[in-house]
Amino acid sequence: MIEALIGFGVIFALALLRVPLAFAMGAVGYVGLGLLRGWDASAASAAQVVYDTGFAYTLSVVPLFILMGNFVARAGLANELFRAAFTFIGHVRGGLAHATIIACAGFGAICGSSIATAATMSKVAFPSMRRHGYADYLSTGVIAAGGTLGIMIPPSTIMVIYGIVTETNIGKLFAAGVLPGLLCALMMMVGVSWITWRDPSAGPAAERSTWKERFSALRDIWGVALLVVVVLGGIYGGIFTATEGAGIGASGAFFFAWARGSLSWKVLYEVLVESTRTTAMLFTILIAATIFSSFVNFTTMPGDLKDWILHLGLSPLMVVGAMMLIYVLLGTIMEELSMVLLTIPVFFPIVTGLGFDPVWFGVLIVLVVQIGLISPPVGMNLFVLNALLKEVSLPQIFRGVWLFVAMLVLALVLCLEFQWLSLWLPSFMP
Amino acid sequence: MTLRKFIEACCSLLAAVALFAIMWLTLFDVSGRKLLSESIPGSLELTELLMVVVIFAGLPLVSLRGEHVVFDSLDPFVPAGLMRGLRALIDGLCALALGWIGWLMWVKGSQMLEYGDKTQQLGLTLGYFVHLMSVLLFVVAAVHLLLMLAPTAHHHPGVDDGASA
């Protein structure tokens, strides 16, 4: 127990000294295992982890989904999504903000990244909201929050990584994210209504569209719809595995981007290189976290903690609730993926030991990551908007996002209480 | 062309081509299997080998651009001189760690060559690919040595380049 606690302490100290988190985790895992089991064993184990993570067919799901998202972002499909949502709901108070959330949800169904979703939407939705006289704090708040739908609504990079490290079925995780994703979108729309009710000038109604315009806008989103049906339908229907689905999705997105003329050779190359960079960054963390968790698993900490918590006789839901509280607090200052990978070796055995479904816990993990991504002071989505929308100040962005943080926390509580929200859809899968 | 630019150009090309190849390979393999009940022989193995290239050729790019996850919220409060020294020290340590892992992989690759480990379907010699991993890890270590001399600003992927959108 003590060894593992020291390990965690050293990682945090190194991180504060600005050592990249992956290197801190890897080094602590390596040295820790070396001290416990001997240096030869530690070296052999580290080399094996690097080898296994490098040569893994199923892990090709990660770069392929990233590639799909990046192609889709370049293809400009987000414009059509936003326009379609706008024609239906733009004329109500706060309608453009509602439309942004709907478009984010739609975009999230073809893109597995929160940052990419927020960045894409900031280019599509923000200018439109500004033109219609929306308050900047509402526009940025809604884009930052809507972006997080990218990781809850499948496909989702975070779910893929959670599935890999915990050996949970990725297809089931994807199915589990659908209802909570819609719930999050709904909660965000409630948030928008609340803001525009309190301050009607923040989101004035736009012009009403005719039914002709609505149908024409709907026709334009067939590309998105087709990709969603083929990729996610294929995975749910058991026609292909998540890895195969990712390959089909990436190719489909490539063809769309190409057919729409948005892929010059230069852009294609950029998209590919960018996707490999994101992949390499994620795999560094993945490899380091695996080395670290083989150290943690060799200590008595996971077992001790599990025994201790089971012994306390707390209600199981309270235990998970306490974990979520820790995550939400840590998520305000820590990078979310590292936070999850660092804690999984300790938390996951407790959760399964209490008899909970790993798929449900996966959904909760995604929700805390969503919350972490938009909670000040260190929320990646907020930084994305701050970098892309130079005309809005960071305090304005912070101001607009609090209500949405609260809404997502409410969604987290609902998903915690009502497990069927996550588990009903996967129950139909073979 | 500076050494930095050269490493970036080579690794970008290598990683990009490998990723694009994985995409096509998966597309043809899956559609072949589902539609014609015929798969590409050894496609799983090829994907695995290409994944090695994607990950390990991508790694120098991540380091060059300073895209590793770091906790940088305290940066504004640290004196610039101290920060420079600290970062040089950390890059030095990263170079050491990566060099060490690279060395372990080199040893592992040599062992596999000795045992004559081959992939199951295509019979490709695995040891060479492990050596490739090791060489690319040495390249990353070298990148961190370069960063020691001339650090880059920390870069949030997708945040600091509008291009990612």
Side-chain angles (χ1 to χ4, degrees):
Chain A
M1 180 83 178
I2 300 292
E3 310 90 320
L5 284 178
I6 295 174
F8 277 105
V10 174
I11 288 180
F12 281 112
L14 288 175
L16 277 180
L17 286 172
R18 224 177 175 292
V19 175
L21 262 163
F23 291 82
M25 284 194 269
V28 168
Y30 187 93
V31 173
L33 202 61
L35 291 172
L36 289 181
R37 287 189 57 195
W39 298 104
D40 287 343
S42 173
S45 147
Q48 193 61 37
V49 170
V50 175
Y51 177 86
D52 287 342
T53 318
F55 288 90
Y57 168 74
T58 47
L59 296 190
S60 65
V61 64
V62 176
L64 288 173
F65 270 130
I66 292 171
L67 187 60
M68 174 180 174
N70 285 342
F71 275 138
V72 162
R74 289 294 173 106
L77 292 168
N79 285 306
E80 277 86 348
L81 277 171
F82 181 69
R83 205 172 74 85
F86 170 80
T87 57
F88 278 88
I89 202 169
H91 60 280
V92 306
R93 197 160 66 195
L96 272 81
H98 290 298
T100 304
I101 292 167
I102 296 172
C104 282
F107 196 72
I110 36 176
C111 175
S113 148
S114 166
I115 291 173
T117 307
T120 309
M121 279 302 154
S122 72
K123 285 180 191 153
V124 175
F126 185 79
S128 180
M129 285 195 269
R130 187 156 250 209
R131 210 167 40 244
H132 286 87
Y134 275 52
D136 285 346
Y137 77 90
L138 172 60
S139 311
T140 53
V142 85
I143 296 170
T148 66
L149 293 172
I151 53 169
M152 181 57 93
I153 294 180
S156 156
T157 318
I158 296 283
M159 281 185 187
V160 167
I161 289 177
Y162 172 85
I164 290 166
V165 295
T166 63
E167 294 175 357
T168 307
N169 183 315
I170 292 171
K172 288 198 174 178
L173 283 167
F174 279 5
V178 174
L179 289 183
L182 295 176
L183 174 72
C184 290
L186 192 71
M187 302 297 284
M188 288 171 194
M189 291 173 78
V190 172
V192 169
S193 302
W194 169 263
I195 291 175
T196 52
W197 175 66
R198 292 286 303 273
D199 178 8
S201 66
E207 67 279 4
R208 184 186 282 273
S209 309
T210 63
W211 279 102
K212 200 169 152 232
E213 284 169 328
R214 288 176 186 173
F215 281 119
S216 115
L218 272 188
R219 265 202 304 280
D220 288 340
I221 59 171
W222 67 273
V224 178
L226 185 68
L227 262 182
V228 173
V229 168
V230 171
V231 176
L232 298 180
I235 296 176
Y236 296 150
I239 300 172
F240 30 71
T241 63
T243 312
E244 295 170 342
I248 300 287
S251 322
F254 165 75
F255 285 121
F256 270 114
W258 178 63
R260 294 166 60 102
S262 33
L263 276 190
S264 59
W265 284 104
K266 184 170 167 284
V267 172
L268 171 64
Y269 190 62
E270 273 171 24
V271 167
L272 286 168
V273 172
E274 194 185 304
S275 307
T276 58
R277 281 209 318 269
T278 311
T279 307
M281 191 265 286
L282 288 175
F283 273 73
T284 318
I285 300 181
L286 196 61
I287 290 173
T290 314
I291 293 176
F292 178 69
S293 73
S294 45
F295 156 65
V296 170
N297 289 332
F298 197 76
T299 69
T300 52
M301 185 174 187
D304 286 352
L305 214 58
K306 190 168 124 187
D307 291 345
W308 180 64
I309 283 175
L310 293 182
H311 204 76
L312 281 180
L314 296 169
S315 94
L317 214 52
M318 255 172 73
V319 176
V320 181
M323 285 177 188
M324 292 302 124
L325 187 65
I326 295 174
Y327 276 139
V328 170
L329 293 178
L330 268 182
T332 58
I333 50 161
M334 254 189 102
E335 196 271 336
E336 287 72 25
L337 181 66
S338 336
M339 164 183 91
V340 168
L341 286 176
L342 201 60
T343 49
I344 284 269
V346 179
F347 283 2
F348 190 74
I350 299 177
V351 171
T352 47
L354 289 167
F356 288 117
D357 193 321
V359 171
W360 170 71
F361 190 61
V363 169
L364 298 184
I365 290 276
V366 174
L367 255 166
V368 291
V369 171
Q370 278 184 284
I371 295 169
L373 282 167
I374 59 165
S375 45
V378 185
M380 199 46 83
N381 275 20
L382 308 175
F383 293 154
V384 176
L385 293 185
N386 188 41
L388 294 179
L389 308 170
K390 302 270 185 244
E391 58 270 47
V392 190
S393 69
L394 199 57
Q396 279 278 337
I397 296 177
F398 282 4
R399 177 185 160 205
V401 86
W402 280 115
L403 184 71
F404 296 102
V405 173
M407 285 316 206
L408 282 182
V409 170
L410 212 56
L412 174 65
V413 173
L414 289 173
C415 286
L416 201 60
E417 180 64 31
F418 303 109
Q419 295 186 25
W420 59 265
L421 276 170
S422 316
L423 297 177
W424 185 59
L425 281 180
S427 70
F428 296 106
M429 289 178 68
Chain B
M1 193 188 260
T2 61
L3 182 58
R4 239 178 153 134
K5 283 258 161 64
F6 178 71
I7 293 177
E8 185 163 13
C10 290
C11 289
S12 299
L13 187 65
L14 211 59
V17 169
L19 180 57
F20 208 36
I22 293 179
M23 185 190 101
W24 288 106
L25 199 59
T26 313
L27 175 68
F28 285 125
D29 183 50
V30 175
S31 43
R33 206 148 13 102
K34 303 295 170 191
L35 303 175
L36 311 169
S37 331
E38 212 160 316
S39 64
I40 299 174
S43 65
L44 297 197
E45 287 172 15
L46 283 175
T47 302
E48 290 185 347
L49 300 176
L50 288 166
M51 275 296 288
V52 169
V53 178
V54 170
I55 299 166
F56 291 89
L59 209 46
L61 305 174
V62 179
S63 289
L64 268 176
R65 289 192 155 224
E67 285 186 346
H68 286 295
V69 176
V70 296
F71 185 80
D72 57 358
S73 308
L74 297 180
D75 285 10
F77 309 105
V78 181
L82 181 65
M83 181 58 94
R84 259 199 304 280
L86 185 63
R87 292 189 54 178
L89 176 71
I90 290 167
D91 276 318
L93 292 175
C94 287
L96 272 179
L98 287 159
W100 176 243
I101 291 285
W103 169 245
L104 290 179
M105 294 320 283
W106 186 265
V107 173
K108 190 174 176 71
S110 305
Q111 270 172 6
M112 294 177 78
L113 280 179
E114 219 171 283
Y115 299 148
D117 290 352
K118 292 192 190 312
T119 64
Q120 281 183 350
Q121 276 188 293
L122 301 176
L124 300 168
T125 307
L126 271 168
Y128 294 130
F129 287 90
V130 180
H131 275 171
L132 176 69
M133 254 182 184
S134 154
V135 168
L136 288 167
L137 281 165
F138 288 136
V139 172
V140 195
V143 163
H144 279 276
L145 288 181
L146 283 177
L147 290 176
M148 252 180 103
L149 306 174
T152 41
H154 176 59
H155 186 264
H156 293 286
V159 178
D160 298 329
D161 52 353
S164 119

